[in-house]
Amino acid sequence: MQLEDCIFCKIARGEIPCNKVYEDDDVIAFHDIHPQAPIHFLIIPKHHITSLAHATSEDAVLLGKMINLVPTLAKQAGCDNGFRTVINTGHDGGQEVPHLHIHVLGGPRPWK
Ligand code: 5GP
Ligand code: ZN
């Protein structure tokens, strides 16, 4: 299920352009529009899940797939020496876009 007005659902539908790094039937990954590191991309499910706190046991395989993709996509994006993986959840978790996403940040330090 997708939401009409959700910005990341719109990206998943191709209605908003993105700098894509990966796509399959379930998942799309694209560079963050405001990168916080030399390499910063997001991995999202194509169907709408509001946050990690809204994921259910039915999403377990999908979540596993997304996590499993991280090292492969990080390497392809140029993270040669490690990376940081972040999932912000809810208001107090600093989540700004209410569609589950994994941040992957890397590239040469120094950065935050
Ligand atoms: P959050 O704070 O929800 O964990 O992270 C949301 C991220 O989405 C932010 O890093 C922000 O820069 C990124 N973002 C928001 N809107 C867009 C967009 O339209 N395109 C892309 N590529 N990134 C976006
Ligand atoms: Zn959505």
Side-chain angles (χ1 to χ4, degrees):
M1 185 204 64
Q2 294 197 327
L3 297 186
E4 188 65 30
D5 292 331
C6 169
I7 190 165
F8 283 179
C9 284
K10 286 185 176 179
I11 287 177
R13 289 195 294 268
E15 293 171 11
I16 293 178
C18 68
N19 188 356
K20 189 167 36 179
V21 301
Y22 176 82
E23 181 172 14
D24 65 25
D25 286 347
D26 307 312
V27 168
I28 184 165
F30 51 89
H31 289 283
D32 197 290
I33 204 166
H34 294 127
Q36 304 294 314
I39 298 164
H40 183 181
F41 64 90
L42 307 172
I43 305 174
I44 70 167
K46 283 190 172 176
H47 82 251
H48 184 86
I49 301 173
T50 300
S51 79
L52 192 59
H54 294 76
T56 70
S57 57
E58 290 186 4
D59 300 312
V61 171
L62 175 64
L63 294 177
K65 177 177 180 171
M66 290 168 65
I67 291 288
N68 259 304
L69 275 169
V70 171
T72 305
L73 298 186
K75 192 169 183 188
Q76 285 172 5
C79 301
D80 296 324
N81 208 19
F83 51 83
R84 179 174 294 176
T85 310
V86 175
I87 304 175
N88 296 324
T89 302
H91 180 271
D92 289 356
Q95 184 179 6
E96 289 178 4
V97 176
H99 178 129
L100 174 64
H101 49 282
I102 301 175
H103 294 259
V104 182
L105 304 108
R109 283 180 173 260
W111 51 277
K112 278 186 210 171

